[in-house]
Amino acid sequence: MSEALNEAAQGAPRGAHPAPSHEAVRGGPVTAPGRTPAPAPVPSPFAGVLDSAAGSLSRGLARITGTTVGRYQAAVVRIGVSLTWLLFLLREWPHRHELYGPDGAWSWDLADRLVAGNHAFTLLLWGRADVWFEVVYTGAILASVMLLLGWRTRTASLLFMIGVLSLQNRSVFVGDGGDNVIHLMAIYLVVTRCGQVWSLDSRRRARGREGDGAGIALWIVLGLVLAVAQLLGRTGLTWTDGLLPWLGWTPFLWGFLLLQAVWWAVRRYAPGEPRTVLDILANILHGAGLLVIVVEVCLIYSTAGWYKVQGSRWQDGTALYYPLHLDDFSPWPGLSHAMAASGLMVMVITYGTVIVQVAFPFTLFNRRVKNVLLALMMVEHASIAVVLGLPFFSLAMIAADAVFLPTGFLRWAGDRVARPLRRGGGAGAAADGAGEPADARARDAEDTDDAERPKEAEKPKEAPARAVAGPRGPGPDDEPAPSNLVV
């Protein structure tokens, strides 16, 4: 066989090309005889980085624009902040005139001069009459109840912000750190969709009730009150001085009313693409508001921790000892003295407070560590409420901390609270929780932390669910996403 091949090769005409080898046919490297093959090029470590980044960015934008991220976190912040402010107003009801009314140490004239300089907003400077003060204080309580229950959440969030600003800006030297937190959260909640779950609005949407006459009536009344107050030239209603140097309170309030009118008109007469565009813009604004809350809480803890580091009493581990001996911060003198008598406990709590506050913003990149420090901070604030007698400050901080709670934990806690209510409500309550749309379940799965999801091998195989749009009423306070859990 080999001899026949040699004869065929010798008999081949000169200049003819040899038959291609198997490697050449397969597309492999072909090297000249006697030469070493060229080394294969080293793959770039940046290969696929741009594609991966573009894919991640695309998925992130799709989630932010297509879903309401952090629905449960926004709801629990709404409930916590409104409950804290409501309890404070009820507790201070006997002393309301001394705190914010005409009998206060900070007189009406001093408040008017201060507001004229810092352009703050307060309804209490619209009149000196005691009746007007009672109306504003009672209205702040009602707005807190509305926001707590999630009844006409958009309207309630605006009224809640007006009530908080009106009282706190009237007497700026009355509040403490907890009041500052409520002040900021009241502004941020206006731009969030905090009524998607755990609200009466979500329950109404789940039941498929059409129309929103009460919401429309509320906005008409607000528009009339704003128009009359502006015609009368009340304090604070300016076009250029307010939230920003170029944006006063008048364009802000009128702009809010105009947006609500546009939202209602689009929902009623243009439910197609215009409604989708408004939903995307609302989701983006909601995500921005939630991000501001997260950044605000991180700034609170980081600045508090780094200022403590600079104090000598915090450096030597004795800072806790001194407030435990102050009568104003010792509602339980026996407990305070027992804690102060233990030098080891004072040192551990002092150093532990600084470490947790400084480290918390850096633990957001690790869910497990973040959850541990978050639990420690909530326990710390609960201890401050009991030991130092600062319940409203502690409640305000716990409500702000709740924005970091895992979605799985919030859904579990909400289910535990709602289960007795469903049992007591009979068939009506069961109907509220039964008609959960598939798209709501998909959003809940997306909001769940990766650490809380079961492994792929442990997931049961289910048939793909078809997304079903939930019932949506045409009112201005309706929000598109139906409730997943009705409480």
Side-chain angles (χ1 to χ4, degrees):
M1 185 69 180
S2 60
E3 294 178 357
L5 292 176
N6 292 334
E7 292 178 0
Q10 291 177 0
R14 294 183 179 181
H17 298 284
S21 62
H22 293 288
E23 292 184 355
V25 172
R26 294 194 303 265
V30 180
T31 57
R35 294 185 181 180
T36 56
V42 179
S44 172
F46 304 102
V49 172
L50 294 180
D51 295 338
S52 177
S56 300
L57 181 60
S58 177
R59 290 190 297 270
L61 289 176
R63 182 179 180 185
I64 292 174
T65 57
T67 61
T68 305
V69 297
R71 297 181 299 143
Y72 291 93
Q73 287 78 4
V76 74
V77 171
R78 181 201 88 225
I79 294 172
V81 171
S82 58
L83 178 62
T84 302
W85 184 243
L86 174 63
L87 294 177
F88 174 78
L89 294 180
L90 294 178
R91 178 181 179 271
E92 300 298 339
W93 177 268
H95 315 290
R96 62 190 185 280
H97 291 280
E98 290 77 13
L99 291 176
Y100 305 110
D103 299 335
W106 191 250
S107 65
W108 194 95
D109 294 328
L110 291 175
D112 186 54
R113 291 171 58 185
L114 180 62
V115 169
N118 60 14
H119 308 291
F121 180 81
T122 173
L123 296 178
L124 291 179
L125 295 182
W126 288 10
R128 292 175 177 263
D130 293 346
V131 176
W132 177 244
F133 168 75
E134 298 293 347
V135 169
V136 174
Y137 197 93
T138 306
I141 294 177
L142 295 178
S144 302
V145 175
M146 290 173 57
L147 188 62
L148 174 64
L149 299 178
W151 185 76
R152 306 304 187 269
T153 311
R154 286 200 184 99
T155 307
S157 62
L158 180 63
L159 294 177
F160 180 78
M161 182 195 71
I162 292 175
V164 170
L165 297 183
S166 297
L167 294 176
Q168 291 189 355
N169 291 336
R170 168 61 178 84
S171 299
V172 294
F173 298 107
V174 171
D176 55 12
D179 294 305
N180 294 335
V181 173
I182 293 176
H183 191 108
L184 295 172
M185 296 301 161
I187 298 175
Y188 301 152
L189 286 175
V190 174
V191 299
T192 61
R193 311 181 81 171
C194 54
Q196 296 277 303
V197 295
W198 298 343
S199 64
L200 294 180
D201 289 341
S202 63
R203 179 173 182 172
R204 174 168 48 87
R205 287 191 300 271
R207 289 183 171 183
R209 294 183 178 178
E210 299 289 339
D212 188 18
I216 297 174
L218 282 173
W219 284 106
I220 292 176
V221 172
L222 288 178
L224 292 175
V225 171
L226 181 59
V228 172
Q230 191 169 2
L231 290 176
L232 296 178
R234 295 307 181 188
T235 304
L237 292 180
T238 59
W239 288 95
T240 56
D241 296 323
L243 288 174
L244 298 172
W246 59 88
L247 178 62
W249 289 103
T250 295
F252 172 76
L253 295 176
W254 280 115
F256 209 93
L257 290 172
L258 179 61
L259 288 176
Q260 287 300 110
V262 172
W263 184 273
W264 175 83
V266 169
R267 288 180 60 86
R268 188 175 183 87
Y269 300 107
E273 185 175 352
R275 166 62 190 274
T276 303
V277 173
L278 286 184
D279 280 341
I280 292 175
L281 295 177
N283 288 333
I284 294 175
L285 192 61
H286 164 83
L290 212 59
L291 178 62
V292 172
I293 294 177
V294 169
V295 174
E296 184 68 40
V297 176
C298 290
L299 287 176
I300 290 174
Y301 283 117
S302 60
T303 53
W306 286 110
Y307 271 110
K308 287 181 174 67
V309 169
Q310 303 175 35
S312 60
R313 301 306 180 193
W314 291 95
Q315 293 175 4
D316 59 23
T318 61
L320 179 64
Y321 175 84
Y322 300 97
L324 292 176
H325 288 279
L326 296 177
D327 294 337
D328 293 338
F329 296 99
S330 299
W332 314 96
L335 177 61
S336 300
H337 294 163
M339 293 181 62
S342 175
L344 178 61
M345 180 179 297
V346 170
M347 182 187 67
V348 170
I349 296 178
T350 301
Y351 286 146
T353 300
V354 176
I355 293 173
V356 169
Q357 291 182 351
V358 172
F360 179 75
F362 301 99
T363 63
L364 298 182
F365 302 101
N366 190 306
R367 290 191 182 94
R368 292 180 176 85
V369 179
K370 180 263 295 182
N371 292 337
V372 172
L373 293 187
L374 182 62
L376 291 177
M377 289 192 302
M378 289 186 170
V379 171
E380 175 190 1
H381 288 302
S383 302
I384 290 174
V386 176
V387 178
L388 299 181
L390 298 173
F392 300 110
F393 166 77
S394 300
L395 285 176
M397 289 305 305
I398 291 175
D401 293 341
V403 74
F404 297 104
L405 288 174
T407 304
F409 171 77
L410 291 176
R411 295 184 63 196
W412 172 82
D415 182 70
R416 295 297 178 182
V417 174
R419 187 172 299 175
L421 299 180
R422 293 198 189 108
R423 292 174 181 173
D432 292 339
E436 179 186 353
D439 57 349
R441 292 193 297 269
R443 283 192 299 271
D444 294 336
E446 291 178 357
D447 289 341
T448 305
D449 291 341
D450 294 337
E452 302 164 4
R453 297 175 181 170
K455 297 180 180 180
E456 295 295 335
E458 299 174 357
K459 290 184 179 180
K461 296 182 179 180
E462 298 178 357
R466 181 173 59 90
V468 180
R472 296 169 178 172
D477 279 316
D478 285 345
E479 298 178 3
S483 172
N484 170 58
L485 181 61
V486 180
V487 178

